[in-house]
Amino acid sequence: MRKHVIVSGSVQGVGFRNAANKKAKEMNLTGWVQNKADGTVELEVEGQEEKLQNYLKQIEDGLNKFIQVERMDVENKEDYGYDTFQTK
């Protein structure tokens, strides 16, 4: 299972990408995360559904005290076959 996610809120300049990358690797998830010009963060994450739900819950709750997630738009997609998790 793969999720494509757009995260809005205070998510740039607060360590979001690094925290999302570290958490994904801890949970053996693959994919990528990147900042977007409109101030949101975009990510794709792939793995077992239960792990993905847990990961997205942790993202929503904020991975550090500076991250404030206001909205997450999540789209389900077919597996792509990522080998690692990368910060773009």
Side-chain angles (χ1 to χ4, degrees):
M1 170 74 53
R2 176 172 54 126
K3 306 277 187 184
H4 179 259
V5 186
I6 303 293
V7 185
S8 305
S10 179
V11 292
Q12 287 193 16
V14 291
F16 182 96
R17 290 179 303 155
N18 184 53
N21 186 318
K22 182 178 178 184
K23 182 58 66 177
K25 288 178 177 175
E26 286 174 8
M27 297 178 72
N28 294 315
L29 299 171
T30 58
W32 52 264
V33 60
Q34 69 181 359
N35 285 341
K36 294 184 63 172
D38 65 1
T40 62
V41 174
E42 178 181 27
L43 62 95
E44 283 203 357
V45 61
E46 193 171 78
Q48 297 173 342
E49 179 66 26
E50 185 176 322
K51 284 185 180 181
L52 290 173
Q53 292 303 324
N54 186 353
Y55 178 75
L56 293 177
K57 174 69 172 135
Q58 290 183 54
I59 294 277
E60 187 175 28
D61 291 344
L63 295 168
N64 70 40
K65 65 182 180 178
F66 303 107
I67 296 168
Q68 297 293 319
V69 174
E70 293 175 5
R71 179 178 172 166
M72 288 178 42
D73 296 317
V74 181
E75 181 182 356
N76 293 323
K77 296 200 166 201
E78 293 295 319
D79 285 353
Y80 179 80
Y82 295 112
D83 293 327
T84 62
F85 197 93
Q86 299 178 1
T87 299
K88 295 184 173 184

